[in-house]
Amino acid sequence: MTSIGGAQMVDWNLAVATATRLVRPGPDISREEARAVVAELRRHAKASEEHVRLFTRMIPEGTEPEDTPVLVVDRPGWIKANVAGFRELLKPLLTKMESRRTGGPGGAVLGAVGGKVTGVELGMLLSFLASRVLGQYETFAPATRELPASANGGGRLLLVAPNIVHVERELDVEPHDFRLWVALHEETHRTQFTGVPWLRDHLQGEIQAFLDETDVDPMTFLERLREAAQSLSGGRPEGEQGESDTRSLVDIVQTPAQREVLGRLTAVMSLLEGHADYVMDGVGPDVVGSVSEIREKFQQRRAQGAGRLDQALRKLLGLDAKLRQYKDGEKFVRSVVDEVGMDGFNRVWTSPNTLPTKAEIAQPADWVARVHRKAES
């Protein structure tokens, strides 16, 4: 744990324990059914490799990218993996905040609050997210026996089995089709990171640059965590703060320099998410019989959320921005592929310099002009 003089800013173990205790139970399913779901998700993940590679043409024929494990996990497993990733990524920020806590005017208060309260609050937020994520390519957590990774030490594909079963039942769609459809999206993310060797280091470097520029008061950060936790537990007084006034956790840590980094991060995340959606729908008609029905119902669910509380928390956690990334990124990919073909689009993976800017995500023709016409002139 990040600590100075024994004072912990976040009690990570308590965050895991709290999230695991509070997370909603998964859908009612027998042990035999659960085993069958896990086995099927593994098969779909394996089958999706070939589908995605043929469609994207990101990995040259005859070459083999680094192998990364597929982990079919439950909600506590997702929590543990993400806490491990957060712990690794946030070390520089928490070290800086620890320094400010020990010498700043809020030090005594923060000392009283302590890392245990922060761990509980973080755990409450993770319990909310753990019941909603269907899958994830987790790339930052160090490899352990419980959380194996690729040979170079990072990267594993997580498929959250209870959440997939919950959503397929909620949408009333064909289970086998839905599981393959989800696997295609997540396999695209694995292909992005294994097929583009520099992508992981680039993304980690951008995140660290964002954190290095963070100049946030520790009390403000903890208050924002507390606000989110109280919203989740129903403990925030009604009418204390309108939904339209809610700020995300990202909003409070932006300096001018950070906004530049955040713009680049937003662009690359829009690209990755939009590309996964494009591939999922492009491959889908050939291998997922009910893809049109699944897409229509899933889009409605994605847009609506689960009520006002869900919408407020999505905004607070920045999840509404993630929804825009799916939509904007998919439009970018579709526009570029329509104009220059899949191989022309794949120039985006040449280097960090060929990634689209935030402005180019909104104006794909500008990316084509910069990357293609400049290279051809």
Side-chain angles (χ1 to χ4, degrees):
M1 296 181 189
T2 300
S3 63
I4 292 180
Q8 298 168 358
M9 193 74 184
V10 180
D11 188 330
W12 295 106
N13 291 334
L14 185 57
V16 170
T18 300
T20 301
R21 178 170 57 86
L22 295 179
V23 71
R24 297 173 183 175
D28 187 18
I29 187 171
S30 69
R31 187 179 299 272
E32 290 74 20
E33 289 176 307
R35 287 174 178 164
V37 170
V38 170
E40 183 173 22
L41 287 173
R42 292 187 185 280
R43 290 196 302 272
H44 285 330
K46 183 64 178 176
S48 294
E49 286 185 36
E50 188 67 18
H51 294 314
V52 171
R53 291 180 189 180
L54 286 173
F55 185 82
T56 64
R57 301 201 287 273
M58 288 180 63
I59 299 173
E61 196 172 339
T63 64
E64 280 297 323
E66 63 175 330
D67 188 34
T68 53
V70 176
L71 306 179
V72 181
V73 298
D74 57 11
R75 290 168 179 174
W78 180 89
I79 289 167
K80 291 175 184 176
N82 277 269
V83 166
F86 292 155
R87 185 173 182 174
E88 187 71 17
L89 279 176
L90 293 177
K91 279 180 182 178
L93 174 62
L94 294 181
T95 299
K96 181 187 294 188
M97 291 174 69
E98 287 282 3
S99 300
R100 293 190 63 174
R101 181 174 76 170
T102 55
V109 176
L110 284 171
V113 172
K116 291 191 178 300
V117 173
T118 310
V120 169
E121 292 164 349
L122 180 59
M124 292 176 72
L125 296 180
L126 287 169
S127 72
F128 169 79
L129 294 172
S131 63
R132 283 157 173 77
V133 175
L134 301 181
Q136 175 186 359
Y137 186 78
E138 204 295 314
T139 186
F140 298 119
T144 64
R145 186 169 64 178
E146 276 193 336
L147 199 63
S150 60
N152 70 358
R156 73 280 294 166
L157 180 63
L158 307 177
L159 295 172
V160 190
N163 295 350
I164 293 173
V165 172
H166 171 78
V167 173
E168 71 192 24
R169 291 179 177 179
E170 182 183 274
L171 298 181
D172 190 24
V173 293
E174 209 288 316
H176 305 295
D177 282 1
F178 184 75
R179 294 167 195 174
L180 177 55
W181 189 71
V182 171
L184 288 169
H185 181 100
E186 303 308 332
E187 177 59 36
T188 302
H189 286 316
R190 180 162 70 159
T191 299
Q192 289 164 350
F193 281 91
T194 57
V196 185
W198 52 264
L199 182 58
R200 177 182 182 271
D201 289 342
H202 172 72
L203 192 58
Q204 185 170 22
E206 291 283 64
I207 293 172
Q208 291 304 329
F210 181 85
L211 296 178
D212 288 344
E213 291 292 337
T214 297
D215 187 22
V216 61
D217 172 55
M219 280 296 291
T220 303
F221 185 78
L222 294 181
E223 285 168 5
R224 190 64 59 209
L225 274 177
R226 188 165 299 107
E227 180 180 296
Q230 288 174 348
S231 294
L232 183 60
S233 63
R236 200 167 101 198
E238 187 176 356
E240 180 180 284
Q241 184 175 8
E243 183 180 326
S244 62
D245 296 327
T246 304
R247 294 179 298 167
S248 76
L249 288 171
V250 171
D251 290 337
I252 66 168
V253 294
Q254 288 185 52
T255 64
Q258 276 186 299
R259 281 192 286 271
E260 293 185 16
V261 179
L262 189 61
R264 296 195 299 269
L265 275 171
T266 299
V268 71
M269 294 309 297
S270 297
L271 171 69
L272 298 180
E273 296 294 356
H275 183 238
D277 264 13
Y278 178 82
V279 172
M280 179 171 61
D281 287 346
V283 175
D286 293 330
V287 297
V288 181
S290 57
V291 64
S292 297
E293 178 191 2
I294 291 173
R295 165 56 88 184
E296 181 180 357
K297 290 183 175 181
F298 192 77
Q299 286 287 62
Q300 291 174 356
R301 179 185 185 274
R302 185 187 267 178
Q304 292 172 355
R308 292 194 64 184
L309 173 61
D310 187 79
Q311 290 169 9
L313 280 166
R314 289 195 319 187
K315 184 171 183 180
L316 182 65
L317 298 171
L319 299 183
D320 57 338
K322 185 175 177 66
L323 297 182
R324 289 194 298 273
Q325 288 171 6
Y326 285 108
K327 185 182 298 184
D328 296 344
E330 197 274 341
K331 286 181 179 178
F332 171 84
V333 176
R334 186 173 301 280
S335 296
V336 172
V337 172
D338 286 347
E339 185 165 350
V340 297
M342 184 63 76
D343 291 332
F345 165 78
N346 281 339
R347 288 195 189 183
V348 78
W349 312 116
T350 304
S351 76
N353 293 329
T354 57
L355 290 172
T357 64
K358 188 176 179 181
E360 288 170 342
I361 289 288
Q363 297 291 336
D366 292 348
W367 180 87
V368 173
R370 176 172 68 87
V371 174
H372 281 265
R373 292 169 191 158
K374 182 177 179 181
E376 294 164 1
S377 60

